Amino acid sequence: MPTNLNFEMARSLVGFTVLVLFLSICESASFFQPISDSHRSAAVELFSPDHGSFKSLEETYEALRTFDVLGIEEKPDITATACHLVSETVGSSSSTLKDLFYALKASSIVKCKINDKAYQGIITRLNAAVDGASSLPDFYYSVGGLVLVKGSKGDVHLADADGIFRLVKAFRQSDGRWRFSSNNPESSAFAAGIALETLAGVVSLASPALDQSLISTLTNDISKLFDSIEKYDDGALYFDDKLVDGHDHQGPLATTSSVVRGLTAFAAVTDERLNIPGNKILGLANFFLGIGVPGDAKDLFNQIDSLACLESNRVSIPLILSLPSTVLSVTKEDSLQVNVNTVLGSNAPPLTVKLVGVFTSGSKAASLVESQELVFDDGTGTYNLNNLPKSIDVGSYTFVFEIVLHEPEHEKIYVTVGQIKVPIFVSGLIKIENAEIAVLDSDLGSIETQKKLDLAGQKAVSLSANHLQKLRVSFKLTTPHGLAFKPHQALLKLRHESKVEHIFVVGNSGKQFEIVLNFLGLVEKFFYLSGRYDIELAVGDAVMENSLLRAIGHIELDLPEPPEKATRSPPQPIDPYSRYGPKAEITHIFRAPEKRPPKELSLAFLGLTFLPLLGFLIGLLRLGVNLKNFPSNAVPAAFATLFHVSIGAVLSLYVLFWLKLDLFQTLKLLGFLGVILVLVGHRVLSHLAATSAKLKSA
């Protein structure tokens, strides 16, 4: 079946427009923001204890560490529960090295009370674990535990630090990665992070200091490890591992977090400066910030803990440039605001932010502005450009910023990118002028009917045309600065009363937009459907604050009758939810009631039904019924009374059957009363027979 070419083109344009907008959003999404209150809210929600405690000491430590770094005040009170778990773990000789390690970590945050005797037992056990360690995790937990004890007690050392250092280095691989054990040939960056953190602990516990040559060779291994770092298109850097046999696969977040913890821990205990470029440190920070707000507690801990390590590391502290809003309005005269903070949102050292240039997105033309410094506002801590240059109109731009530190010594502590490119949308109200709709003569092109369009209001136009005429719609779009504006989409839609739709792209030349529909050439596309067509105009763009989708009126089209082999209009899709809508009301036709007998006849029949009862009563009187033989003793008298009451109940049941009860209900009650009547009747008759026998014998 032939399809409407203009309709297909319009569909393609709409899809392309959606794709452009999606890519624009993705491009702006690569813009990194420091830690915010959203992370704090997520931490309180994700680290929610179950009945006041967490499942393990590891989860307890991760919650405490996250709350501590983020400075959350309104948090669950788990201090007492944590200290109780810590006391049980450090006091038990059966607790694992891992539990003991995380118990000491949790205690370092909440400051649990551990007596000297318990500390001595911990030190003895951890030293024995170091001596008997055969895998990287064993060294990690035991050495790490001793480092934590040293932080609390102060006098903890390794007897053979050089030997332990060499034992741990035996797991090293030539590419900078490490193995978990000598039995596992696979290497990983995750293990490298654990190894670096372990060796940092060995260095801090060494007395006297370690051989400097050992540390120097380790810095070369770190450089090799960074040679395997991977990169996203937005500049974020990360580490990732293939599946390692015998160990659970760690994702990029956990792996990168492990490397950052090991790197910063090792840098903190060595005097030798690590040869790691500042842009790689900044790339790692961008990786953690680019995650946004994780939805998993473990991921949130890895993100926050890694950023805390980067915040206080001795290699390079990354500075993050961010904007409260990347959409500025020319109409509202918004000012450009820029923030510069550390990854956790702390204040940056004294610096200057320069706007180096502004470029139209997708264009290689020169900058629209000259380099200028932004003004620092002490009250808000932001760098501002109060008035956008006149050369910046509505559109999509790339702003290029540069950060310049004031103090030369700060350049050795902090790291920034040379130039930072930020995609920014500048929006505004677009002027829509000279909007007209007209019906033209097909041959001469003269105007037969012309009307103004009220695109700002709700006034609709009414037109009529035949297949020998044309329809023209035109309007003019200008920016707040008076320049021509070309939106992402300008579409005209005609919808027939049978729901068949046709969409056309409105072309432009400069500021003027115009479309002319020649109905003579469109009769086949319109399937020869005469009648009313509703007209809609859609003009939209991401930077157009007054985008519109407006019903501008309708046109009555008189098209010729279709030939025999003409293409029929396609069937319209059926709404799948229509089956759940209201159904047509069902009207029942009942049989007319039969004619009833006269009222007098019914009353006469009722009287006849009482004649047997009347004959029964008369018969009792004629027979001379009396109560002379009614028992005088208490028990026989009671049974006689029940007998007569039962007979009365049966008669009453007959009346109820006539008035109310159905046959099944009557039989059920009659069976119950019949049993009682038989029993008491038998006792009464037995008493009368016995009395009669005594009278005869007397």
Side-chain angles (χ1 to χ4, degrees):
M1 179 180 293
T3 57
N4 190 322
L5 180 59
N6 291 327
F7 177 74
E8 294 299 328
M9 292 174 59
R11 278 202 315 187
S12 301
L13 179 65
V14 171
F16 177 72
T17 301
V18 172
L19 178 61
V20 170
L21 290 174
F22 176 76
L23 293 177
S24 300
I25 294 171
C26 291
E27 183 179 3
S28 61
S30 64
F31 181 68
F32 304 104
Q33 297 280 359
I35 295 301
S36 62
D37 290 336
S38 299
H39 292 81
R40 295 178 177 87
S41 300
V44 175
E45 181 179 353
L46 294 176
F47 289 104
S48 179
D50 184 15
H51 301 291
S53 63
F54 293 95
K55 295 180 181 179
S56 64
L57 278 167
E58 182 178 2
E59 290 186 12
T60 303
Y61 163 71
E62 290 173 354
L64 292 171
R65 171 65 172 167
T66 304
F67 293 154
D68 183 56
V69 172
L70 295 178
I72 299 176
E73 297 180 358
E74 297 182 1
K75 57 188 176 183
D77 187 10
I78 57 174
T79 301
T81 306
C83 286
H84 177 71
L85 290 174
V86 169
S87 299
E88 287 184 346
T89 303
V90 300
S92 173
S93 58
S94 60
S95 58
T96 63
L97 280 177
K98 182 179 179 180
D99 287 342
L100 186 59
F101 172 75
Y102 282 110
L104 293 173
K105 272 184 166 289
S107 178
S108 66
I109 297 176
V110 295
K111 308 301 180 184
C112 300
K113 293 182 179 179
I114 302 176
N115 56 45
D116 293 341
K117 182 178 179 181
Y119 269 124
Q120 290 300 322
I122 294 171
I123 294 172
T124 302
R125 184 179 173 187
L126 291 176
N127 278 319
V130 171
D131 295 336
S134 59
S135 65
L136 186 57
D138 293 340
F139 282 110
Y140 174 72
Y141 292 128
S142 56
V143 172
L146 290 173
V147 172
L148 292 168
V149 173
K150 181 180 179 180
S152 301
K153 301 300 293 181
D155 187 19
V156 179
H157 301 286
L158 287 174
D160 185 15
D162 284 357
I164 296 172
F165 197 97
R166 289 185 170 87
L167 287 175
V168 176
K169 279 193 66 177
F171 300 116
R172 179 192 59 175
Q173 297 290 84
S174 59
D175 59 354
R177 299 174 183 265
W178 294 64
R179 294 176 298 163
F180 282 100
S181 66
S182 57
N183 297 327
N184 183 11
E186 298 289 343
S187 59
S188 72
F190 183 83
I194 294 178
L196 291 175
E197 193 173 355
T198 303
L199 293 177
V202 175
V203 173
S204 65
L205 295 173
S207 180
L210 284 176
D211 186 357
Q212 192 64 28
S213 62
L214 294 175
I215 299 177
S216 299
T217 57
L218 191 58
T219 58
N220 294 330
D221 295 332
I222 294 175
S223 299
K224 292 180 181 179
L225 177 63
F226 270 81
D227 290 339
S228 64
I229 200 168
E230 299 186 43
K231 182 179 181 179
Y232 285 122
D233 293 337
D234 57 8
L237 302 177
Y238 67 99
F239 293 92
D240 197 9
D241 285 330
K242 297 179 181 179
L243 184 62
V244 180
D245 294 338
H247 295 274
D248 293 335
H249 174 65
Q250 304 293 335
L253 178 56
T255 302
T256 309
S257 179
S258 174
V259 173
V260 168
R261 275 193 288 265
L263 175 67
T264 54
F266 187 76
V269 298
T270 179
D271 295 331
E272 186 170 341
R273 184 170 181 82
L274 302 180
N275 187 23
I276 301 175
N279 63 336
K280 290 191 175 182
I281 298 297
L282 190 61
L284 291 172
N286 289 339
F287 168 74
F288 291 112
L289 295 176
I291 296 172
V293 181
D296 178 74
K298 186 71 173 183
D299 292 343
L300 181 63
F301 163 74
N302 284 328
Q303 180 194 44
I304 299 302
D305 185 54
S306 301
L307 291 174
C309 293
L310 293 175
E311 176 97 349
S312 58
N313 77 90
R314 291 182 56 187
V315 182
S316 294
I317 299 176
L319 294 178
I320 305 299
L321 183 143
S322 61
L323 276 68
S325 175
T326 57
V327 179
L328 305 177
S329 174
V330 175
T331 306
K332 299 177 182 178
E333 298 181 350
D334 290 341
S335 61
L336 175 65
Q337 296 182 337
V338 176
N339 296 324
V340 180
N341 306 94
T342 62
V343 291
L344 293 181
S346 302
N347 295 329
L351 52 83
T352 298
V353 177
K354 292 183 179 180
L355 178 61
V356 178
V358 177
F359 302 90
T360 303
S361 297
S363 173
K364 297 182 180 180
S367 174
L368 300 176
V369 300
E370 296 181 355
S371 179
Q372 53 186 304
E373 293 184 4
L374 303 187
V375 180
F376 180 70
D377 186 346
D378 291 327
T380 61
T382 60
Y383 299 83
N384 303 325
L385 180 63
N386 294 325
N387 297 313
L388 291 176
K390 295 295 183 181
S391 57
I392 299 178
D393 203 349
V394 171
S396 177
Y397 300 92
T398 299
F399 282 53
V400 182
F401 299 96
E402 186 177 28
I403 299 175
V404 180
L405 296 168
H406 291 174
E407 303 296 335
E409 58 269 17
H410 286 164
E411 296 180 359
K412 300 179 181 179
I413 302 174
Y414 299 93
V415 58
T416 62
V417 179
Q419 290 188 345
I420 305 168
K421 297 180 180 180
V422 181
I424 293 180
F425 289 100
V426 180
S427 64
L429 292 175
I430 303 301
K431 297 179 182 178
I432 307 176
E433 302 172 319
N434 303 334
E436 296 177 345
I437 185 169
V439 176
L440 309 177
D441 182 77
S442 181
D443 296 330
L444 302 177
S446 59
I447 299 176
E448 294 195 6
T449 306
Q450 181 171 333
K451 295 184 179 182
K452 295 286 186 181
L453 292 177
D454 182 18
L455 298 180
Q458 300 296 328
K459 186 178 179 180
V461 299
S462 177
L463 300 171
S464 62
N466 57 42
H467 66 286
L468 299 177
Q469 294 175 318
K470 300 177 182 179
L471 179 69
R472 183 181 70 189
V473 178
S474 61
F475 52 90
K476 182 180 178 181
L477 299 179
T478 55
T479 66
H481 291 171
L483 302 177
F485 178 73
K486 185 177 181 180
H488 281 147
Q489 62 180 17
L491 304 174
L492 184 71
K493 180 167 69 174
L494 273 67
R495 181 190 297 112
H496 189 255
E497 52 194 355
S498 63
K499 306 303 181 183
V500 177
E501 296 182 350
H502 307 276
I503 300 177
F504 304 90
V505 180
V506 182
N508 75 300
S509 58
K511 300 179 182 179
Q512 188 71 21
F513 284 77
E514 183 179 276
I515 182 173
V516 178
L517 300 181
N518 186 355
F519 294 127
L520 183 59
L522 292 173
V523 288
E524 291 186 2
K525 303 295 189 297
F526 280 24
F527 307 108
Y528 295 89
L529 293 176
S530 299
R532 172 170 170 154
Y533 285 81
D534 294 325
I535 307 173
E536 286 186 359
L537 179 64
V539 180
D541 194 279
V543 296
M544 183 178 176
E545 295 180 2
N546 54 335
S547 297
L548 60 91
L549 174 61
R550 191 68 43 81
I552 60 178
H554 70 274
I555 183 172
E556 290 286 343
L557 271 183
D558 183 12
L559 300 181
E561 291 295 326
E564 293 183 2
K565 296 184 179 180
T567 304
R568 300 294 179 181
S569 60
Q572 297 303 302
I574 300 176
D575 183 6
Y577 295 101
S578 61
R579 69 174 65 181
Y580 305 112
K583 304 297 182 182
E585 183 179 356
I586 300 175
T587 303
H588 295 279
I589 300 176
F590 295 95
R591 185 178 60 180
E594 297 181 358
K595 187 177 180 180
R596 295 178 178 273
K599 182 178 180 181
E600 294 76 8
L601 182 60
S602 299
L603 293 175
F605 182 78
L606 177 63
L608 290 175
T609 57
F610 281 103
L611 288 178
L613 177 62
L614 182 61
F616 173 72
L617 296 176
I618 294 174
L620 290 178
L621 293 175
R622 295 295 299 271
L623 292 174
V625 175
N626 56 68
L627 299 177
K628 293 180 180 179
N629 291 330
F630 196 86
S632 57
N633 295 334
V635 175
F639 280 105
T641 302
L642 283 176
F643 177 72
H644 288 84
V645 170
S646 298
I647 293 176
V650 171
L651 294 175
S652 300
L653 181 61
Y654 289 159
V655 174
L656 289 176
F657 170 65
W658 181 265
L659 298 176
K660 183 177 181 180
L661 300 179
D662 57 32
L663 180 62
F664 295 101
Q665 293 174 325
T666 304
L667 290 176
K668 186 187 300 182
L669 295 174
L670 184 60
F672 174 72
L673 292 176
V675 172
I676 297 177
L677 188 60
V678 169
L679 293 177
V680 297
H682 180 267
R683 292 296 299 269
V684 171
L685 292 176
S686 298
H687 174 73
L688 292 176
T691 303
S692 177
K694 289 180 180 179
L695 291 174
K696 290 180 179 181
S697 61

